[in-house]
Amino acid sequence: MTDHVQEQEMEIEALEAILMDEFKEIHSGESGLSTSNRCFQITLSPQDDDTDQSTSTPVQLALVFSHTEKYPDESPLLNVKSIRGIQTNDLKVLKEKLEQEASENLGMAMIYTLVTSAKEWLSERYGQDADANNAEEEEATKDEVIVPHGEPVTVDTFLAWRERFEAELALERAKLMPESAFMATKEKKLTGRQWFESGRATAKGAAPVSEESDVEDEEDIDFDDDDFEDDEEDMLEHYLAEKSDSSSHSSKRTA
């Protein structure tokens, strides 16, 4: 003979160990069942087992049950109540579903099976609605994305930018050149009189100049900051001219 009471006690202990805070005993007057036997309530929501149950959920269900005298050889008394967000019609559909499954599982402890079925039903019924709402929110967010405005980059604008960048880079390098380089550049631009008075003409057979001329010559060749700024501009122009010539030679070779 089957010991129904022992099987029922063992099932309650197992449910307490598995469900923990979701499982509790309630007064029969709170259960909505027509019985004076012990009644229990299991709180369910459409969440995965790994999800933090302390977070707020859109829907929550209370599955209430009580063992009958011959359970599990007969179905338990069942009731479902909405804790949050579940419509009355849905509660009726779920209760009928659970009662049908209970009749199919007679002869074995079935409460945890019914819990799993109810949780899956919640996920299918209300989880899809939550996914649809999330999809709508994502679409609304996409519509609100601000498209940045600016000048589009083309081949011509890029080449123009690169030419300016290389010119500025050459100018920066020129500023870092030693003073001797500027002196050499300045000497190349001496006027005929300065060249004659600098003594180079003497080296080639020209008449020597006096010391006073040398002093005047030194004074004439003194450079100031404006001269160096001019040199930088000249060097930049020279760099761009060489770059242009190089590009032309390359084009001719290709042709």
Side-chain angles (χ1 to χ4, degrees), residues 171-234:
L171 181 59
E172 290 297 325
R173 289 176 178 173
K175 291 180 179 179
L176 298 176
M177 292 176 64
E179 185 178 352
S180 58
F182 291 110
M183 294 294 292
T185 305
K186 192 64 179 181
E187 287 181 357
K188 291 179 181 179
K189 296 181 62 181
L190 293 178
T191 63
R193 181 174 180 278
Q194 289 174 337
W195 178 83
F196 180 82
E197 294 178 349
S198 66
R200 296 183 184 180
T202 304
K204 293 184 179 181
V209 296
S210 64
E211 293 182 357
E212 293 180 358
S213 299
D214 292 339
V215 174
E216 292 176 357
D217 184 37
E218 292 178 359
E219 293 177 354
D220 291 337
I221 305 177
D222 286 343
F223 306 125
D224 55 20
D225 293 339
D226 294 335
D227 293 330
F228 288 113
E229 292 178 358
D230 294 338
D231 288 335
E232 292 177 1
E233 295 177 359
D234 293 339

